[in-house]
Amino acid sequence: MSEDSPPEGKAGVGRVEAFSDGVLAIIVTIMVLELKAPEAEDLAALARLWPTFLAYVLSYAYVAIYWVNHHRLFGYVRGVTNGLLWANMALLFTLSLVPFSTAYLGEHHFGRDATLLYLATLFLPALAYAVLHRTIRCAGIQGHEAAIYHRATARKGMAANVTYLLGIVLTFVSPWLGIACAALVALFWMLPWSPLDRLFVGERV
């Protein structure tokens, strides 16, 4: 289908969302399968797994954030276009890399190189989501409410990307500073509506 072909309508949108939901569910499943139970039956052996568990918790939060925002964003889709399909597939591809970097981060106990790889695989989906968001913003449902949502999301995403880049730089000082930046971005998106969100909107709403 060419970019200017008639959109498939809401039925097509539902198919794209269902496929995306399935891929995200598989990503979470792969991550949880990396939580291997220790052979020794004692709390000390279990406690030694904390890097793997912490990496899983942070990555799970990220996948959950993307699912929530993906769901909200698709509420503004008017119909399926070729651009939307490929932008969505690019987002899912970048998210599919998260289980590998999560396992690597936990296995290497938040070392510098592992943290750099992890932050890079968080930054890539952020870029892909920005492309998907722009695609829907241009061709999707318009109006005052949509404009407020898109403006806030775009500005919040830009602030998150700057924080990712800051985390990559700070990782060379200490990997934990990089992880702190990643956790800050997660908290950033998970907080309920706040004065910070109103700042991104740029107006009183």
Side-chain angles (χ1 to χ4, degrees):
M1 185 178 70
S2 65
E3 182 61 38
D4 55 357
S5 297
E8 297 177 25
K10 285 298 181 181
V13 175
R15 288 187 62 192
V16 176
E17 285 192 276
F19 176 79
S20 303
D21 290 347
V23 172
L24 293 177
I26 292 171
I27 290 172
V28 171
T29 302
I30 292 173
M31 288 195 303
V32 77
L33 290 176
E34 292 295 331
L35 298 177
K36 308 293 185 182
E39 295 183 5
E41 190 178 351
D42 60 81
L43 292 179
L46 194 61
R48 285 193 290 272
L49 294 178
W50 70 266
T52 302
F53 184 73
L54 180 59
Y56 168 75
V57 170
L58 185 56
S59 294
Y60 182 91
Y62 265 98
V63 175
I65 288 167
Y66 274 103
W67 183 85
V68 170
N69 283 286
H70 187 274
H71 176 70
R72 290 175 176 168
L73 181 60
F74 265 66
Y76 294 94
V77 174
R78 193 191 307 272
V80 176
T81 64
N82 198 48
L84 182 143
L85 288 173
W86 285 110
N88 192 67
M89 291 301 293
L91 173 63
L92 295 178
F93 170 74
T94 56
L95 286 172
S96 73
L97 301 175
V98 173
F100 171 77
S101 63
T102 301
Y104 192 74
L105 182 68
E107 183 68 24
H108 293 278
H109 290 214
F110 294 82
R112 189 191 69 179
D113 291 345
T115 301
L116 287 172
L117 176 65
Y118 184 70
L119 288 172
T121 56
L122 294 184
F123 186 54
L124 288 176
L127 295 179
Y129 188 86
V131 174
L132 177 63
H133 174 239
R134 181 174 177 79
T135 300
I136 294 174
R137 184 177 189 175
C138 293
I141 297 172
Q142 305 297 316
H144 181 66
E145 180 184 344
I148 291 174
Y149 169 80
H150 290 309
R151 183 164 59 247
T153 299
R155 291 176 178 177
K156 202 170 186 179
M158 182 67 70
N161 290 343
V162 170
T163 306
Y164 283 133
L165 293 176
L166 178 62
I168 290 173
V169 173
L170 290 178
T171 297
F172 289 97
V173 178
S174 168
W176 287 109
L177 292 176
I179 294 299
C181 287
L184 179 62
V185 173
L187 185 64
F188 197 55
W189 284 104
M190 293 173 68
L191 285 175
W193 186 261
S194 66
L196 184 62
D197 293 279
R198 289 191 286 272
L199 176 64
F200 289 123
V201 170
E203 63 179 51
R204 295 178 63 89
V205 294

